[in-house]
Amino acid sequence: KDISVWAVWLRAADRAMCFEAALRAHNAGLNVIGYGNGGISVSLQRDQIGEQLPYLLDFAMENDFAHPAFRSIFEEHGLIQADSEVS
């Protein structure tokens, strides 16, 4: 399989940008479990999801991260109503 120089460069740039985001998340007290491919993964404690999700959403918004999947999680844990806006 041929891999171009650009593909290698783009992967390295992605890893560097994701590492910076992961470091910001870690410094903000989040438990980072992975990064790369355009995103970071964090782990939340199941028994503290209600308290941690708003903090995670604030962090994501402050750092201009996309977070479309949060809506269903907020609804599931009763933090918003199904027909309301996330605030």
Side-chain angles (χ1 to χ4, degrees):
K1 175 175 160 177
D2 291 336
I3 299 175
S4 73
V5 172
W6 286 110
V8 172
W9 186 89
L10 286 172
R11 179 156 171 79
D14 170 74
R15 292 289 289 175
M17 287 187 286
C18 290
F19 173 77
E20 289 175 354
L23 184 58
R24 285 195 308 272
H26 172 76
N27 289 339
L30 296 169
N31 183 26
V32 177
I33 58 174
Y35 64 92
N37 294 324
I40 63 172
S41 298
V42 298
S43 175
L44 302 177
Q45 293 178 358
R46 184 173 296 279
D47 62 339
Q48 295 179 350
I49 272 186
E51 296 107 41
Q52 292 176 337
L53 277 177
Y55 180 73
L56 181 59
L57 182 59
D58 287 343
F59 176 82
M61 289 172 54
E62 289 169 7
N63 287 277
D64 296 322
F65 295 150
H67 45 77
F70 283 1
R71 181 175 209 50
S72 64
I73 297 170
F74 271 83
E75 289 172 0
E76 179 183 339
H77 292 279
L79 299 171
I80 63 169
Q81 298 297 320
D83 59 348
S84 69
E85 293 291 318
V86 176
S87 58

